[in-house]
């Protein structure tokens, strides 16, 4: 069953065509990578799916439901979570407080103004558990803005998953990481997305081929190819357009 | 010419003169905002200060023309000092810090003026040549108001020359329409900021001197003009000089004819106009930038 | 701090507040009430400025509306009891906030600041011009101050300054405590995250405009409480002390001077301003000159305000690193 489907998505920014007739299909439980050269429209596709923009044309289906034009907060409640290419944490809040926001959201505590948050033991316990799982328990009380780059990226990824979504959308999670950090990040992603569906935008081909069950290649706003990693590797069109330059 | 028409024309001249003065203040405000992203809440204080400088210069020299020339320059120099030694220092702390700093500066200027000149209204006499009425085509026009309109046009001309005919002006215009451009153009940004701030306060200064003989010189000047200029800038959308001009003239006429027809509500008219504009377009009349 | 210490602290604080007028006399009690009114007012502004990152140049409109609401109600409704009169003022402020919030929750930064300056001035001009309702420049004054009464049990005369002191301190103190509690709740933490990164808050499943709206109305309501108590305290509310732009600037200055980074900074700021005003007004009429200079100095040299300065000293001289775990740190 497809957990996520886009049907004939077309999007333009005041005349500038960015996406053209994109039909993406993501099966429940798979790890799906979207690759493509810069400017191919990957992040725009993400933004259209996660509710940043309403597509100019076409529909988005999530778990069989038409979610075209839904606002981000609504999509989170339906079970979608996303991270950002440019780290977008709550910089002046501690790592603990950052993750706790996700836990609160997951528990549906959004407008409660009658209980003291620090005294909600179950929330604290669950947050600490998450911090431990992502190896940030040592940095529990450090403001997110003061974390090392690798750690802040880990936090960025984990925040997308703290709401316990069924579908996780990660936008270049390893961008700017060293080889070592990338390795850790991949392990973290693999661990955290166990049993979930993952859609990931990635430039690092090592990451793509080690993580993904399926790959979609986006080029100039359209899908060039979509299939198993081995098929993509063998695809001549993909080689010509993209992989060739990347020396895979 | 029947008296009703004469009255309309006279009110029109009043409105136009006030609108022009308002524009001199508002354009400086919008220029500084567009360039530096600072809403200078002390802007009208420099306007008021120039009026006091003019009074002082007139008292000492007895020459109105000299006072007219010197007072705005003195106000502008003070503005430059404020930019160089205060605003620039808090730039790193963000816009909220800058905004609040300008509140502090406006308080100090307002209170400082009271210390030096007291709280009384000081009359400012213009030379005889600018007094009285002139008759054109069977209608009487107050000479001083026509002079104000002319003066504003001259300043406007100087501004236009600066903005459109010099390289510096080109940089400023580019920066006002896109703040990120300044860095890309590879210019000495702090120097350009200082220049813009100086020119902005100078124009406010000219406006202060121009309006002083009409309204007399008193500490409340800043309040009144500051609010009007602020409304112009907000309604016109921040960072646009052309729209500031249009809105200034509309407001000048609105307040002038407003007093004529609905005298009690006249001060509210501008607010109502602004409120309507803002409710429809929160970024100002034609603006899209935040 | 453990439970016992906390109770002792509260007991000491309450004892000081209770004994204050007896020790210092009525004049300084009135100074203290003024301070407490502005402390609450500054705390409500800090809810917007410090916690949510929204700078308002028109917060006086809620203060003034609260004051006018109570004053006009007492002037026109015969036998209106005290607490309902305060409530009417608060509801008037809330109503104004509800009218404005559909526009205000959609803007931030300079646009938010300026819209408030504009609407604040509109309220000021309206208060001056709608003479029939507001009394113009003279304002609404001399209205009856009802006693604080529980029917059949007790009735306390509120025209007695000592009684009014206790009433005002109780209402204002409870309000400040309520706001403090609010900042500790889950919604309070959503509020801080909106300031840090409103985009991400939405992507974590929270409704940003609705959250902002609640905070906005809350800040307005308690600014209304401050204004209402102020009108009762002075037995007068006029455009000049209700809606004037300086009334909007005052809490901003208090927040900045006291320290934008904490809940108690604004209270400290209100105290500092109260003391400075008390001292300088003995020597000069130009109190605002001193205030303006202090404001400039603070922004230039201690942008985190008095509390930030204290923390810096502590760190510098006693080698104690600022405790990062405390949730009091909002900046």
């Amino acid at each position: 069953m497809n957990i996520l489907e886009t049907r004939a998505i077309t999007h333009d920014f005041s005349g500038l065509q960015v996406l053209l007739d994109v039909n993406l299909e993501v099966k429940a439980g798979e790890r799906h990578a979207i690759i493509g050269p810069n400017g191919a429209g990957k992040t725009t596709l993400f933004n259209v799916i996660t509710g940043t923009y309403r597509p100019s044309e076409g529909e988005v289906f999530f778990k069989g439901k038409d979610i075209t034009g839904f606002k981000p907060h609504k999509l989170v409640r339906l079970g979608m979570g996303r991270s950002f290419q440019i780290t977008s944490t709550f910089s002046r809040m501690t790592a603990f407080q950052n993750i706790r926001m996700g836990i609160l959201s997951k528990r549906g505590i959004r407008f409660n103004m009658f209980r003291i948050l620090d005294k909600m033991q179950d929330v604290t316990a669950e947050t600490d558990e998450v911090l431990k799982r992502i190896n940030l328990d040592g940095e529990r009380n450090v403001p997110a803005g003061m974390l090392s780059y690798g750690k802040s990226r880990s936090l960025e990824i984990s925040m997308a998953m703290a709401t316990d979504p069924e579908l996780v959308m990660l936008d270049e999670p390893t961008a700017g990481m060293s080889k070592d950090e990338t390795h850790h990040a991949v392990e973290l992603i693999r661990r955290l997305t166990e049993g979930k569906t993952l859609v990931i935008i990635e430039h690092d081909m090592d990451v793509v081929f080690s993580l993904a069950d399926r790959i979609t290649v986006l080029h100039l706003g359209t899908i060039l190819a979509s299939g198993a990693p081995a098929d993509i590797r063998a695809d001549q069109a993909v080689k010509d357009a993209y992989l060739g330059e990347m020396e895979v | 010419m029947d008296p009703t028409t004469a009255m309309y024309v006279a009110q029109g001249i009043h409105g136009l003169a006030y609108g022009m003065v308002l524009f001199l203040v508002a354009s400086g405000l919008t220029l500084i905002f567009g360039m530096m992203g600072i809403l200078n809440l002390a802007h009208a204080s420099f306007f008021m200060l120039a009026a006091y400088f003019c009074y002082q210069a007139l008292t000492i020299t007895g020459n109105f023309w000299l006072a007219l020339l010197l007072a705005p320059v003195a106000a502008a120099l003070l503005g430059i000092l404020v930019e160089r030694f205060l605003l620039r220092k808090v730039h790193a702390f963000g816009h909220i810090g800058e905004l609040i700093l300008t509140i502090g500066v406006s308080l100090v200027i307002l209170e400082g003026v009271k210390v030096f000149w007291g709280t009384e209204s000081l009359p400012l006499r213009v030379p005889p040549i600018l007094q009285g009425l002139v008759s054109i085509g069977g209608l009487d026009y107050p000479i001083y108001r026509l002079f104000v309109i002319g003066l504003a046009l001259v300043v406007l001309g100087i501004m236009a020359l600066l903005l459109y005919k010099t390289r510096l002006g080109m940089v400023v215009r580019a920066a006002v329409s896109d703040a990120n451009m300044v860095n890309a153009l590879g210019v000495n940004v702090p120097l350009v900021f200082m220049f813009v701030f100086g020119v902005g306060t100078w124009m406010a200064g000219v406006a202060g001197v121009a309006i002083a003989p009409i309204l007399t010189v008193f500490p409340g000047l800043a309040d009144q003009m500051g609010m009007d200029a602020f409304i112009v800038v907000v309604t016109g959308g921040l960072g646009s000089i052309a729209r500031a001009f249009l809105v200034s003239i509309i407001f000048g006429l609105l307040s002038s004819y407003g007093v004529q027809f609905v005298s009690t509500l006249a001060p509210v008219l501008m607010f109502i106009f602004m409120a309507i504009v803002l409710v429809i377009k929160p970024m100002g009349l034609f603006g899209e930038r935040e | 701090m453990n439970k016992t210490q906390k109770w002792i602290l509260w007991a000491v604080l309450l004892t000081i507040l209770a004994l204050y007028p007896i020790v210092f006399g009525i004049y300084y009690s009135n100074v203290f009430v003024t301070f407490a009114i502005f402390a609450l007012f500054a705390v409500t502004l800090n809810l917007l400025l410090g916690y949510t990152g929204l700078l308002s140049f028109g917060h006086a409109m809620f203060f003034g509306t609260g004051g006018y609401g109570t004053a006009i109600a007492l002037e026109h409704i015969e036998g209106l009891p005290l607490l309902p009169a305060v409530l009417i003022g608060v509801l008037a402020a809330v109503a104004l906030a509800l009218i404005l919030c559909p526009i205000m929750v959609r803007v931030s930064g300079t646009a938010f600041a300026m819209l408030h300056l504009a609407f604040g001035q509109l309220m000021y001009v309206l208060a001056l011009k709608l003479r029939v309702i507001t009394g113009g420049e003279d304002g609404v004054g001399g209205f009856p101050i009802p006693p604080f009464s529980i029917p059949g049990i007790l009735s306390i005369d509120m025209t007695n300054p000592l009684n009014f002191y206790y009433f005002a301190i109780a209402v204002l103190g409870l309000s400040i405590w309520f706001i403090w509690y609010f900042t500790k709740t889950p919604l309070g933490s959503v509020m801080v995250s909106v300031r840090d990164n409103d985009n991400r808050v939405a992507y974590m499943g929270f409704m940003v405009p609705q959250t902002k709206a609640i905070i906005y109305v809350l800040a307005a309501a308690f600014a209304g409480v401050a204004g209402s108590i102020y009108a009762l305290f002075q037995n007068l509310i006029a455009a000049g002390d209700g809606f004037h732009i300086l009334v909007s600037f005052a809490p901003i200055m208090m927040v900045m001077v006291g320290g934008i980074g904490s809940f108690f900074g604004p209270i400290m700021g209100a105290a500092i301003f109260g003391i400075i005003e008390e001292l300088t007004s003995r020597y000069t009429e130009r109190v605002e000159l001193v205030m303006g200079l202090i404001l400039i100095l603070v922004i230039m040299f201690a942008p985190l305000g008095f509390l930030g300065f204290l923390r810096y000293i502590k760190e510098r001289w006693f080698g104690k690193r600022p405790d990062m775990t405390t949730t009091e740190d909002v900046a």
Side-chain angles (χ1 to χ4, degrees):
Chain A
M1 193 207 106
N2 288 335
I3 189 169
L4 179 74
E5 240 183 275
T6 69
R7 292 188 193 155
I9 291 286
T10 294
H11 193 71
D12 62 289
F13 293 107
S14 46
L16 182 70
Q17 198 87 34
V18 183
L19 295 174
L20 184 65
D21 194 28
V22 173
N23 293 287
L24 178 74
E25 288 183 14
V26 178
K27 290 193 177 61
E30 73 178 359
R31 295 205 181 96
H32 195 124
I34 298 175
I35 62 171
N38 283 326
K42 301 181 299 286
T43 297
T44 306
L45 181 60
F46 251 49
N47 286 340
V48 163
I49 294 170
T50 58
T52 312
Y53 314 126
R54 194 191 173 89
S56 312
E57 279 167 53
E59 291 102 41
V60 185
F61 285 82
F62 178 50
K63 296 195 281 187
K65 185 176 174 172
D66 185 351
I67 55 152
T68 319
F70 275 29
K71 290 273 178 341
H73 68 87
K74 217 165 167 183
L75 295 173
V76 173
R77 290 174 199 192
L78 286 173
M80 198 188 281
R82 82 165 282 188
S83 75
F84 292 83
Q85 193 179 337
I86 297 162
T87 307
S88 179
T89 52
F90 304 115
S91 56
R92 282 181 285 183
M93 289 162 63
T94 64
F96 173 81
Q97 288 167 331
N98 270 270
I99 293 294
R100 187 167 63 180
M101 293 302 293
I103 306 296
L104 287 177
S105 172
K106 175 187 152 192
R107 292 172 173 240
I109 305 170
R110 299 190 187 95
F111 293 110
N112 186 323
M113 46 190 274
F114 302 105
R115 291 185 60 193
I116 294 219
L117 181 52
D118 286 344
K119 288 188 181 161
M120 295 167 101
Q121 307 290 354
D122 41 349
V123 173
T124 306
E126 193 177 346
T127 308
D128 278 327
E129 205 175 292
V130 172
L131 282 173
K132 199 161 212 160
R133 217 182 311 147
I134 62 175
N135 290 327
L136 276 177
D137 44 345
E139 285 81 9
R140 185 184 190 270
N141 298 324
V142 177
M146 290 169 76
L147 289 172
S148 71
Y149 186 74
K151 298 266 183 193
S152 73
R153 288 305 291 176
S154 294
L155 184 63
E156 170 70 41
I157 299 164
S158 308
M159 280 166 76
M161 281 177 261
T163 55
D164 197 23
E166 290 166 63
L167 172 66
V168 185
M169 316 259 303
L170 302 181
D171 191 349
E172 291 196 36
T174 65
M177 282 189 178
S178 68
K179 201 110 195 136
D180 208 35
E181 286 171 331
T182 303
H183 178 73
H184 284 295
V186 170
E187 280 317 303
L188 182 72
I189 293 168
R190 197 191 297 280
R191 204 146 38 86
L192 291 180
T193 55
E194 204 67 56
K196 298 179 192 294
T197 312
L198 171 69
V199 178
I200 181 171
I201 294 178
E202 191 50 75
H203 273 303
D204 188 329
M205 286 306 132
D206 292 342
V207 173
V208 171
F209 285 106
S210 73
L211 258 181
D213 306 322
R214 248 167 31 112
I215 296 173
T216 292
V217 185
L218 211 56
H219 184 62
L220 298 174
T222 57
I223 292 182
L224 199 63
S226 192
D231 299 338
I232 295 298
R233 223 189 268 266
D235 194 301
Q236 193 54 47
V238 175
K239 272 187 194 160
D240 291 346
Y242 181 48
L243 290 180
E245 315 159 16
M246 305 273 297
E247 300 166 21
V248 173
Chain B
M1 175 87 35
D2 68 289
T4 327
T5 321
M7 187 194 73
Y8 280 143
V9 172
Q11 287 298 336
I13 297 281
H14 281 199
L16 214 55
Y18 186 69
M20 291 300 267
V21 170
L22 190 55
F23 171 67
L24 286 182
V25 181
S27 57
L29 196 59
T30 205
L31 204 62
I32 291 169
F33 181 85
M35 183 83 194
M36 307 163 75
I38 300 171
L39 184 71
N40 180 15
L41 293 168
H43 195 65
S45 306
F46 292 107
F47 156 87
M48 173 191 67
L49 205 55
Y52 274 101
F53 285 162
C54 179
Y55 169 83
Q56 199 60 46
L58 192 60
T59 318
I60 294 168
T61 66
N63 186 333
F64 177 77
W65 304 102
L66 195 64
L68 182 66
L69 200 68
L70 288 181
V73 174
L77 284 178
L78 203 70
I80 286 174
L81 290 180
V82 166
E83 198 282 327
R84 175 66 185 80
F85 292 104
L86 299 179
L87 269 177
R88 197 179 295 180
K89 296 267 158 71
V90 302
H91 188 70
F93 190 57
H95 287 328
I96 288 183
E98 291 170 335
L99 275 170
I100 293 167
L101 184 84
T102 63
I103 297 181
V105 171
S106 75
L107 279 180
V108 169
I109 292 180
L110 179 66
E111 296 299 310
V113 157
K114 289 181 190 168
V115 170
F116 280 109
W117 287 284
T119 52
E120 313 268 296
S121 245
L122 306 171
L124 216 155
R125 290 186 65 79
V126 298
I129 191 173
L130 293 177
Q131 292 171 3
L133 303 168
V134 61
S135 183
I136 306 169
L139 271 176
D140 289 335
Y141 298 96
I143 296 174
Y144 189 74
R145 309 232 174 198
L146 290 178
F147 169 72
V148 167
I149 295 174
L151 182 68
L153 285 174
V154 169
V155 173
L156 202 66
I158 296 173
M159 275 295 299
L161 278 180
L162 269 178
L163 277 179
Y164 290 92
K165 294 289 176 205
T166 64
R167 198 185 116 75
L168 196 59
M170 188 204 77
V171 172
V172 171
R173 278 186 300 134
V176 169
S177 60
D178 180 0
N180 296 326
M181 279 280 284
V182 218
N183 296 321
L185 287 171
V187 292
N188 185 342
V189 177
L191 202 67
V192 176
F193 278 12
M194 207 160 90
F195 168 76
V196 168
F197 207 88
V199 170
T201 43
W202 175 74
M203 289 201 297
V206 173
V209 174
I211 205 110
I214 301 176
L215 297 178
T216 74
V217 184
F218 59 103
L221 262 185
D223 257 10
Q224 192 185 339
M225 180 55 77
M227 199 36 69
D228 287 2
F230 167 78
I231 294 173
V232 166
V233 169
V234 172
T235 315
L238 282 159
S240 163
I241 292 174
R243 290 171 214 149
F245 181 74
L246 187 65
V247 179
S248 297
I249 299 302
I250 292 176
F251 275 10
L253 295 174
L254 203 63
S255 64
S256 163
Y257 285 116
V259 170
Q260 196 70 37
F261 297 113
V262 277
S263 59
T264 46
L265 279 177
V268 192
L269 275 182
M270 291 166 78
F271 282 105
I272 294 173
F273 184 59
M274 177 192 65
I276 294 170
V277 168
L278 289 179
V279 168
I280 301 167
K281 296 198 77 174
M283 290 303 124
L285 198 47
F286 316 87
E288 263 128 45
R289 263 181 77 196
E290 191 174 327
Chain C
M1 195 155 38
N2 64 32
K3 272 241 155 68
T4 336
Q5 281 172 313
K6 232 178 217 171
W7 282 113
I8 292 171
L9 199 76
W10 275 108
V12 169
L13 188 69
L14 289 177
T15 315
I16 290 172
L17 287 176
L19 294 180
Y20 181 89
I22 296 158
V23 176
F24 291 99
I26 283 309
Y27 176 77
Y28 285 104
S29 300
N30 286 344
V31 170
F32 192 84
V33 170
T34 309
F35 149 73
I37 288 169
F38 279 94
L40 173 61
F41 188 34
V43 164
T44 66
L45 181 95
N46 195 37
L47 216 45
L48 299 175
L49 180 57
Y51 281 88
T52 325
L54 298 167
L55 172 59
S56 166
F57 280 145
H59 206 46
M61 61 183 152
F62 303 118
F63 184 85
T65 305
Y68 272 100
T70 297
I72 292 170
L74 284 171
E75 192 183 35
H76 292 284
I77 305 170
E78 198 137 330
L80 183 71
L82 188 63
L83 288 179
V86 173
L87 193 66
I88 288 172
V90 175
L91 288 179
V94 167
L96 180 64
L98 286 174
I99 293 169
L100 291 177
C101 83
I103 316 170
M104 298 308 182
V105 297
R106 293 187 194 284
V107 293
S108 56
T110 311
F112 186 89
M114 292 191 317
L115 279 173
H116 278 84
L117 184 52
F119 281 102
Q121 281 309 107
L122 177 60
M123 292 300 290
Y124 177 66
V125 174
L126 284 178
L128 281 179
K129 294 295 160 186
L130 296 177
R131 282 212 179 79
V132 190
I133 308 169
T134 62
E137 270 134 48
D138 301 329
V140 183
F143 46 83
I145 306 284
F148 178 83
S149 61
I150 303 169
I153 300 172
L154 83 171
S155 174
I156 302 166
D157 177 21
M158 278 299 140
T159 52
N160 175 333
L162 184 65
N163 293 345
F164 190 82
Y165 166 86
Y166 288 116
F167 168 72
I169 295 305
V171 172
L172 297 166
L174 275 175
S175 299
I176 290 174
W177 176 81
F178 183 87
I179 295 172
W180 175 84
Y181 189 93
F182 170 76
T183 63
K184 301 285 175 197
T185 64
L187 186 56
S189 111
V190 178
M191 165 172 80
V192 177
S193 57
V194 166
R195 178 206 60 195
D196 258 19
N197 188 343
D198 56 351
N199 187 44
R200 188 61 186 254
V201 181
Y203 281 101
M204 297 196 81
F206 299 93
M207 302 206 253
V208 176
Q210 285 82 347
T211 305
K212 274 179 164 178
I214 293 175
I215 297 157
Y216 189 70
V217 171
L218 202 73
F222 283 102
V225 172
S228 174
I229 298 293
Y230 180 83
L232 289 169
F233 178 55
Q234 302 282 340
N235 197 5
L236 170 75
I237 184 89
D241 29 70
F243 289 122
H244 195 273
I245 192 152
L246 286 178
V247 183
S248 286
F249 285 169
I252 298 174
M253 296 197 263
M254 288 166 186
V255 169
M256 293 311 291
V257 169
I260 193 170
S262 86
F263 183 84
F264 296 99
I267 300 174
M268 191 77 81
I272 292 172
F273 268 73
I275 292 165
I276 290 169
E277 190 164 358
E278 192 57 35
L279 291 179
T280 51
S281 62
R282 289 183 195 170
Y283 303 103
T284 167
E285 267 178 59
R286 304 274 80 86
V287 176
E288 264 99 22
L289 182 66
V290 182
M291 303 278 191
L293 285 173
I294 289 173
L295 192 63
I296 293 173
L297 290 176
V298 165
I299 300 281
M300 303 265 311
F301 300 108
L304 286 178
F306 185 68
L307 282 186
F309 181 68
L310 281 187
R311 193 169 302 160
Y312 169 78
I313 295 286
K314 214 153 116 189
E315 197 181 339
R316 185 77 194 272
W317 298 96
F318 301 97
K320 184 172 182 276
R321 279 174 53 79
D323 187 2
M324 284 172 181
T325 59
T326 164
T327 39
E328 232 138 78
D329 284 339
V330 292

